Amino acid sequence: RPQSGTPVFFRLIGNPQGQDYFLDLDGFCWRLLTYIDNSRTLTSLQNLQQAEEIGRLLGQFHLLVAGLDHASLADPLPDFHVTPRYLEHFDAIDGSARTSNDQEAYCQSVIAAQRQTAGLLEEARDHLSMQVIHGDPKAANFLFAADSDRAISLVDLDTVKPGLLLHDLGDCLRSCCNRLSEAHADPAATVFDPDLFQSLLSGYWQQAGDLLTAADRALLVAAVKLISFELGLRFFTDHLNGDRYFKVSQPGLNLQRAIIQFQLNQSIREQEHDLEQRLQAFV
């Protein structure tokens, strides 16, 4: 059982020959991991303490891996968060020319209006902090203690890769500051919660605020906005392309997911000045 404030991570279990993986006859790789018990996951946050705990744990993770040579790490997701590449994919399937209902027309209008922002992080990459990142720090990838709102672990480490700190922090804020989760029945009700934003940053800053440069801090809010647009673009492109990447349980689910992200993007844009002011409390 972990001590209070101490993160816990699973351990790889090796076989008698010392190998910590198994390749089956089809070439698939399998690993055996220890189980982290007395824990639970959340698809969306219910209070500010949970947000602060997630920020604290993400900051601890970034500190733990900050000394690793990111250039020596294999990249399991090449071009992940390179937003212009997703825009190129959308254009390649002629997404702007395909409309069958008002929801698709709405998505196309958002993409048309926001496409000029796609290169924001790529254009600033040389001035931003690059290191090993988690790659998918959404709310559901944080384990909480079963009997409290204490975050105890960050899981799904198969996405760990070289990347910008703003990729991780922006994606985490995008996911955690949407109280209705990433798939809900009323996309129009989606809002970005500024109080969760402030609490998550508070937890992060206590641990890893010094990892962020002045350039990182200047683009932090813009990164959250951009990644919400990026994910909406990816969901909508996959919807138009026959749901080939994101799994769906029913037709139209990726369209619904896209609208949620675009609504979140709009909410961030509407609150941008307030969010920047809240950020200034830490910088």
Side-chain angles (χ1 to χ4, degrees):
R1 182 182 297 271
Q3 298 178 351
S4 178
T6 303
V8 59
F9 298 103
F10 59 72
R11 291 180 293 105
L12 284 170
I13 299 176
N15 65 13
Q17 289 73 44
Q19 293 180 313
D20 55 15
Y21 66 92
F22 172 73
L23 290 177
D24 66 20
L25 295 178
D26 294 320
F28 291 103
C29 183
W30 298 84
R31 300 175 297 173
L32 185 62
L33 310 174
T34 54
Y35 178 72
I36 302 174
D37 60 0
N38 298 312
S39 64
R40 62 193 172 104
T41 58
L42 305 171
T43 56
S44 61
L45 307 190
Q46 286 83 50
N47 59 59
L48 301 183
Q49 181 182 350
Q50 292 169 351
E52 186 169 349
E53 281 287 297
I54 282 180
R56 176 188 62 79
L57 190 53
L58 182 63
Q60 287 182 322
F61 176 83
H62 284 163
L63 279 177
L64 286 171
V65 299
L68 298 177
D69 178 12
H70 66 81
S72 67
L73 190 68
D75 191 343
L77 298 168
D79 292 337
F80 193 58
H81 288 316
V82 179
T83 314
R85 296 290 174 86
Y86 296 118
L87 195 58
E88 290 173 5
H89 185 204
F90 171 76
D91 290 337
I93 67 167
D94 201 18
S96 61
R98 299 167 58 180
T99 304
S100 62
N101 56 52
D102 290 343
Q103 291 178 318
E104 291 183 353
Y106 164 74
C107 291
Q108 290 166 344
S109 69
V110 173
I111 293 170
Q114 296 297 311
R115 66 185 298 132
Q116 74 275 7
T117 70
L120 178 69
L121 293 183
E122 289 307 300
E123 293 163 5
R125 179 179 283 269
D126 290 345
H127 306 288
L128 301 175
S129 297
M130 181 87 171
Q131 68 161 69
V132 176
I133 63 171
H134 179 273
D136 190 19
K138 60 187 178 185
N141 280 340
F142 290 84
L143 290 185
F144 282 81
D147 56 357
S148 75
D149 283 333
R150 181 168 62 92
I152 62 173
S153 188
L154 183 55
V155 297
D156 277 7
L157 301 183
D158 56 312
T159 56
V160 169
K161 66 187 300 294
L164 300 178
L165 276 181
L166 287 187
H167 287 155
D168 255 12
L169 192 51
D171 198 19
C172 186
L173 287 162
R174 174 206 62 78
S175 171
C176 294
C177 297
N178 172 8
R179 287 184 181 268
L180 295 178
S181 81
E182 297 185 9
H184 59 88
D186 187 10
T190 305
V191 295
F192 186 87
D193 191 310
D195 294 330
L196 290 176
F197 170 84
Q198 186 169 346
S199 293
L200 196 153
L201 283 183
S202 176
Y204 187 87
W205 234 263
Q206 293 170 34
Q207 302 294 324
D210 290 343
L211 292 178
L212 297 172
T213 65
D216 295 322
R217 297 169 185 180
L219 289 179
L220 193 153
V221 174
V224 187
K225 182 174 58 175
L226 176 63
I227 293 178
S228 65
F229 168 72
E230 175 187 289
L231 188 53
L233 174 64
R234 293 177 63 201
F235 280 137
F236 184 54
T237 302
D238 201 38
H239 163 73
L240 294 178
N241 208 31
D243 302 316
R244 298 181 182 182
Y245 184 84
F246 295 106
K247 294 180 180 179
V248 295
S249 57
Q250 60 191 40
L253 183 58
N254 278 329
L255 177 59
Q256 183 183 56
R257 289 166 170 167
I259 295 172
I260 289 171
Q261 293 305 315
F262 288 148
Q263 288 285 326
L264 197 64
N265 175 272
Q266 179 178 332
S267 180
I268 295 168
R269 285 186 278 119
E270 291 171 351
Q271 301 179 80
E272 197 160 358
H273 179 69
D274 177 46
L275 296 175
E276 292 285 4
Q277 286 189 317
R278 291 175 186 248
L279 174 61
Q280 289 306 310
F282 305 107
V283 302

